[in-house]
Amino acid sequence: MLSFLFRLIRDFHADHGFHPNTLYINDFHYRKLRESISGLTTDTQLARFLSVEILLSEEAVHPHVAWLAPARHRRAGLRFG
């Protein structure tokens, strides 16, 4: 699971020229990820390790990454790109 996520992040960076900041993942895959990285004991540690915000979504049949504008910029109406 971890190598798959690193590949997603690497491919996103190669395609877009910047790193994603969000990981969409369902509950099942998230549990498997947590089991595979036993040294990281909190959700925050895992998010920092991957350098993404983790959003749990049952609609995410397969994990995928994206870049979302920070909430403070969305509220201010600023757009990037």
mmCIF file of all heavy atoms in Angstrom, residues 18-22 24 53 55 66-81:
data_model
loop_
_atom_site.group_PDB
_atom_site.id
_atom_site.type_symbol
_atom_site.label_atom_id
_atom_site.label_comp_id
_atom_site.label_asym_id
_atom_site.label_seq_id
_atom_site.Cartn_x
_atom_site.Cartn_y
_atom_site.Cartn_z
ATOM 1 N N PHE A 18 4.117 19.899 -9.299
ATOM 2 C CA PHE A 18 4.039 20.200 -7.866
ATOM 3 C C PHE A 18 3.429 18.993 -7.169
ATOM 4 O O PHE A 18 2.820 18.135 -7.796
ATOM 5 C CB PHE A 18 3.233 21.480 -7.588
ATOM 6 C CG PHE A 18 1.868 21.502 -8.226
ATOM 7 C CD1 PHE A 18 0.766 21.009 -7.559
ATOM 8 C CD2 PHE A 18 1.695 22.024 -9.507
ATOM 9 C CE1 PHE A 18 -0.490 21.024 -8.143
ATOM 10 C CE2 PHE A 18 0.448 22.052 -10.105
ATOM 11 C CZ PHE A 18 -0.649 21.552 -9.425
ATOM 12 N N HIS A 19 3.630 18.941 -5.866
ATOM 13 C CA HIS A 19 3.170 17.787 -5.091
ATOM 14 C C HIS A 19 1.700 17.919 -4.725
ATOM 15 O O HIS A 19 1.217 19.027 -4.482
ATOM 16 C CB HIS A 19 3.999 17.648 -3.808
ATOM 17 C CG HIS A 19 5.411 17.249 -4.076
ATOM 18 N ND1 HIS A 19 5.772 15.955 -4.359
ATOM 19 C CD2 HIS A 19 6.550 17.970 -4.116
ATOM 20 C CE1 HIS A 19 7.068 15.893 -4.563
ATOM 21 N NE2 HIS A 19 7.571 17.114 -4.428
ATOM 22 N N PRO A 20 0.996 16.802 -4.643
ATOM 23 C CA PRO A 20 -0.392 16.845 -4.163
ATOM 24 C C PRO A 20 -0.401 17.162 -2.674
ATOM 25 O O PRO A 20 0.593 16.963 -1.978
ATOM 26 C CB PRO A 20 -0.893 15.424 -4.425
ATOM 27 C CG PRO A 20 0.332 14.576 -4.344
ATOM 28 C CD PRO A 20 1.441 15.435 -4.905
ATOM 29 N N ASN A 21 -1.529 17.668 -2.200
ATOM 30 C CA ASN A 21 -1.635 17.935 -0.767
ATOM 31 C C ASN A 21 -2.798 17.187 -0.118
ATOM 32 O O ASN A 21 -3.074 17.370 1.063
ATOM 33 C CB ASN A 21 -1.742 19.437 -0.492
ATOM 34 C CG ASN A 21 -3.000 20.071 -1.059
ATOM 35 O OD1 ASN A 21 -3.812 19.412 -1.702
ATOM 36 N ND2 ASN A 21 -3.142 21.372 -0.859
ATOM 37 N N THR A 22 -3.479 16.341 -0.895
ATOM 38 C CA THR A 22 -4.650 15.627 -0.390
ATOM 39 C C THR A 22 -4.642 14.181 -0.882
ATOM 40 O O THR A 22 -4.358 13.925 -2.047
ATOM 41 C CB THR A 22 -5.950 16.317 -0.869
ATOM 42 O OG1 THR A 22 -5.877 17.702 -0.534
ATOM 43 C CG2 THR A 22 -7.165 15.691 -0.224
ATOM 44 N N TYR A 24 -7.262 10.973 -1.013
ATOM 45 C CA TYR A 24 -8.595 10.419 -0.826
ATOM 46 C C TYR A 24 -8.433 8.913 -0.693
ATOM 47 O O TYR A 24 -7.821 8.272 -1.544
ATOM 48 C CB TYR A 24 -9.495 10.718 -2.031
ATOM 49 C CG TYR A 24 -9.838 12.164 -2.183
ATOM 50 C CD1 TYR A 24 -9.076 12.993 -2.992
ATOM 51 C CD2 TYR A 24 -10.940 12.709 -1.528
ATOM 52 C CE1 TYR A 24 -9.390 14.328 -3.151
ATOM 53 C CE2 TYR A 24 -11.263 14.051 -1.677
ATOM 54 C CZ TYR A 24 -10.484 14.848 -2.490
ATOM 55 O OH TYR A 24 -10.810 16.164 -2.638
ATOM 56 N N GLU A 53 -2.936 15.886 3.337
ATOM 57 C CA GLU A 53 -4.109 15.801 4.201
ATOM 58 C C GLU A 53 -4.853 14.549 3.769
ATOM 59 O O GLU A 53 -4.996 14.279 2.570
ATOM 60 C CB GLU A 53 -4.989 17.028 4.021
ATOM 61 C CG GLU A 53 -6.207 17.025 4.884
ATOM 62 C CD GLU A 53 -7.044 18.277 4.721
ATOM 63 O OE1 GLU A 53 -6.583 19.242 4.100
ATOM 64 O OE2 GLU A 53 -8.186 18.256 5.203
ATOM 65 N N LEU A 55 -8.243 12.453 3.484
ATOM 66 C CA LEU A 55 -9.700 12.548 3.528
ATOM 67 C C LEU A 55 -10.281 11.159 3.304
ATOM 68 O O LEU A 55 -10.031 10.532 2.278
ATOM 69 C CB LEU A 55 -10.214 13.501 2.448
ATOM 70 C CG LEU A 55 -9.748 14.944 2.566
ATOM 71 C CD1 LEU A 55 -10.291 15.761 1.405
ATOM 72 C CD2 LEU A 55 -10.181 15.541 3.886
ATOM 73 N N ALA A 66 -4.730 14.553 -4.956
ATOM 74 C CA ALA A 66 -5.141 15.783 -5.632
ATOM 75 C C ALA A 66 -4.473 16.958 -4.939
ATOM 76 O O ALA A 66 -3.869 16.815 -3.873
ATOM 77 C CB ALA A 66 -6.659 15.934 -5.577
ATOM 78 N N TRP A 67 -4.592 18.115 -5.558
ATOM 79 C CA TRP A 67 -4.147 19.345 -4.908
ATOM 80 C C TRP A 67 -5.368 20.217 -4.727
ATOM 81 O O TRP A 67 -6.078 20.530 -5.693
ATOM 82 C CB TRP A 67 -3.114 20.085 -5.754
ATOM 83 C CG TRP A 67 -2.504 21.227 -4.997
ATOM 84 C CD1 TRP A 67 -1.386 21.172 -4.225
ATOM 85 C CD2 TRP A 67 -2.980 22.559 -4.909
ATOM 86 N NE1 TRP A 67 -1.148 22.387 -3.655
ATOM 87 C CE2 TRP A 67 -2.115 23.272 -4.056
ATOM 88 C CE3 TRP A 67 -4.075 23.233 -5.448
ATOM 89 C CZ2 TRP A 67 -2.296 24.614 -3.744
ATOM 90 C CZ3 TRP A 67 -4.259 24.564 -5.131
ATOM 91 C CH2 TRP A 67 -3.368 25.235 -4.294
ATOM 92 N N LEU A 68 -5.656 20.581 -3.485
ATOM 93 C CA LEU A 68 -6.780 21.455 -3.166
ATOM 94 C C LEU A 68 -6.246 22.747 -2.580
ATOM 95 O O LEU A 68 -5.314 22.731 -1.774
ATOM 96 C CB LEU A 68 -7.708 20.794 -2.147
ATOM 97 C CG LEU A 68 -8.373 19.495 -2.568
ATOM 98 C CD1 LEU A 68 -9.231 18.958 -1.433
ATOM 99 C CD2 LEU A 68 -9.221 19.708 -3.806
ATOM 100 N N ALA A 69 -6.845 23.858 -2.980
ATOM 101 C CA ALA A 69 -6.456 25.147 -2.411
ATOM 102 C C ALA A 69 -6.745 25.128 -0.917
ATOM 103 O O ALA A 69 -7.767 24.591 -0.486
ATOM 104 C CB ALA A 69 -7.229 26.272 -3.090
ATOM 105 N N PRO A 70 -5.850 25.703 -0.124
ATOM 106 C CA PRO A 70 -6.110 25.772 1.316
ATOM 107 C C PRO A 70 -7.434 26.473 1.594
ATOM 108 O O PRO A 70 -7.835 27.384 0.863
ATOM 109 C CB PRO A 70 -4.928 26.586 1.857
ATOM 110 C CG PRO A 70 -3.845 26.402 0.825
ATOM 111 C CD PRO A 70 -4.569 26.277 -0.488
ATOM 112 N N ALA A 71 -8.120 26.049 2.640
ATOM 113 C CA ALA A 71 -9.450 26.575 2.961
ATOM 114 C C ALA A 71 -9.457 28.090 3.082
ATOM 115 O O ALA A 71 -10.389 28.751 2.634
ATOM 116 C CB ALA A 71 -9.965 25.932 4.249
ATOM 117 N N ARG A 72 -8.425 28.672 3.648
ATOM 118 C CA ARG A 72 -8.423 30.129 3.816
ATOM 119 C C ARG A 72 -8.392 30.839 2.468
ATOM 120 O O ARG A 72 -8.940 31.904 2.322
ATOM 121 C CB ARG A 72 -7.271 30.569 4.707
ATOM 122 C CG ARG A 72 -5.906 30.345 4.119
ATOM 123 C CD ARG A 72 -4.818 30.875 5.080
ATOM 124 N NE ARG A 72 -3.522 30.660 4.526
ATOM 125 C CZ ARG A 72 -2.788 29.570 4.679
ATOM 126 N NH1 ARG A 72 -3.246 28.572 5.394
ATOM 127 N NH2 ARG A 72 -1.603 29.467 4.119
ATOM 128 N N HIS A 73 -7.774 30.229 1.461
ATOM 129 C CA HIS A 73 -7.750 30.831 0.129
ATOM 130 C C HIS A 73 -9.084 30.644 -0.579
ATOM 131 O O HIS A 73 -9.541 31.531 -1.276
ATOM 132 C CB HIS A 73 -6.622 30.241 -0.710
ATOM 133 C CG HIS A 73 -5.271 30.605 -0.192
ATOM 134 N ND1 HIS A 73 -4.155 29.847 -0.438
ATOM 135 C CD2 HIS A 73 -4.853 31.634 0.583
ATOM 136 C CE1 HIS A 73 -3.119 30.392 0.151
ATOM 137 N NE2 HIS A 73 -3.522 31.472 0.783
ATOM 138 N N ARG A 74 -9.708 29.485 -0.391
ATOM 139 C CA ARG A 74 -11.024 29.257 -1.003
ATOM 140 C C ARG A 74 -12.042 30.232 -0.425
ATOM 141 O O ARG A 74 -12.848 30.790 -1.141
ATOM 142 C CB ARG A 74 -11.492 27.820 -0.773
ATOM 143 C CG ARG A 74 -10.705 26.804 -1.616
ATOM 144 C CD ARG A 74 -11.402 25.445 -1.629
ATOM 145 N NE ARG A 74 -11.687 24.932 -0.310
ATOM 146 C CZ ARG A 74 -10.897 24.111 0.371
ATOM 147 N NH1 ARG A 74 -9.752 23.728 -0.143
ATOM 148 N NH2 ARG A 74 -11.251 23.687 1.564
ATOM 149 N N ARG A 75 -11.974 30.477 0.895
ATOM 150 C CA ARG A 75 -12.918 31.409 1.526
ATOM 151 C C ARG A 75 -12.705 32.816 1.007
ATOM 152 O O ARG A 75 -13.637 33.583 0.873
ATOM 153 C CB ARG A 75 -12.743 31.378 3.046
ATOM 154 C CG ARG A 75 -13.356 30.167 3.699
ATOM 155 C CD ARG A 75 -13.464 30.338 5.206
ATOM 156 N NE ARG A 75 -12.185 30.622 5.822
ATOM 157 C CZ ARG A 75 -11.334 29.710 6.294
ATOM 158 N NH1 ARG A 75 -11.622 28.440 6.177
ATOM 159 N NH2 ARG A 75 -10.200 30.060 6.851
ATOM 160 N N ALA A 76 -11.447 33.176 0.714
ATOM 161 C CA ALA A 76 -11.146 34.521 0.236
ATOM 162 C C ALA A 76 -11.437 34.672 -1.253
ATOM 163 O O ALA A 76 -11.346 35.766 -1.787
ATOM 164 C CB ALA A 76 -9.681 34.855 0.513
ATOM 165 N N GLY A 77 -11.807 33.577 -1.904
ATOM 166 C CA GLY A 77 -12.112 33.637 -3.319
ATOM 167 C C GLY A 77 -10.884 33.620 -4.219
ATOM 168 O O GLY A 77 -10.990 33.881 -5.411
ATOM 169 N N LEU A 78 -9.724 33.317 -3.669
ATOM 170 C CA LEU A 78 -8.512 33.265 -4.475
ATOM 171 C C LEU A 78 -8.463 31.959 -5.246
ATOM 172 O O LEU A 78 -8.898 30.918 -4.756
ATOM 173 C CB LEU A 78 -7.274 33.393 -3.582
ATOM 174 C CG LEU A 78 -7.173 34.688 -2.776
ATOM 175 C CD1 LEU A 78 -5.965 34.623 -1.864
ATOM 176 C CD2 LEU A 78 -7.074 35.885 -3.702
ATOM 177 N N ARG A 79 -7.924 31.993 -6.430
ATOM 178 C CA ARG A 79 -7.798 30.797 -7.252
ATOM 179 C C ARG A 79 -6.367 30.636 -7.681
ATOM 180 O O ARG A 79 -5.665 31.629 -7.903
ATOM 181 C CB ARG A 79 -8.694 30.894 -8.472
ATOM 182 C CG ARG A 79 -10.143 31.071 -8.106
ATOM 183 C CD ARG A 79 -10.945 31.276 -9.335
ATOM 184 N NE ARG A 79 -11.657 30.026 -9.554
ATOM 185 C CZ ARG A 79 -12.334 29.752 -10.626
ATOM 186 N NH1 ARG A 79 -12.384 30.603 -11.610
ATOM 187 N NH2 ARG A 79 -12.960 28.627 -10.744
ATOM 188 N N PHE A 80 -5.936 29.402 -7.808
ATOM 189 C CA PHE A 80 -4.574 29.110 -8.255
ATOM 190 C C PHE A 80 -4.661 28.352 -9.560
ATOM 191 O O PHE A 80 -5.442 27.451 -9.715
ATOM 192 C CB PHE A 80 -3.843 28.274 -7.205
ATOM 193 C CG PHE A 80 -3.682 29.006 -5.912
ATOM 194 C CD1 PHE A 80 -4.577 28.788 -4.884
ATOM 195 C CD2 PHE A 80 -2.683 29.920 -5.726
ATOM 196 C CE1 PHE A 80 -4.462 29.459 -3.691
ATOM 197 C CE2 PHE A 80 -2.540 30.586 -4.539
ATOM 198 C CZ PHE A 80 -3.439 30.367 -3.521
ATOM 199 N N GLY A 81 -3.758 28.705 -10.488
ATOM 200 C CA GLY A 81 -3.682 27.982 -11.752
ATOM 201 C C GLY A 81 -4.517 28.613 -12.735
ATOM 202 O O GLY A 81 -4.923 28.700 -13.706
#
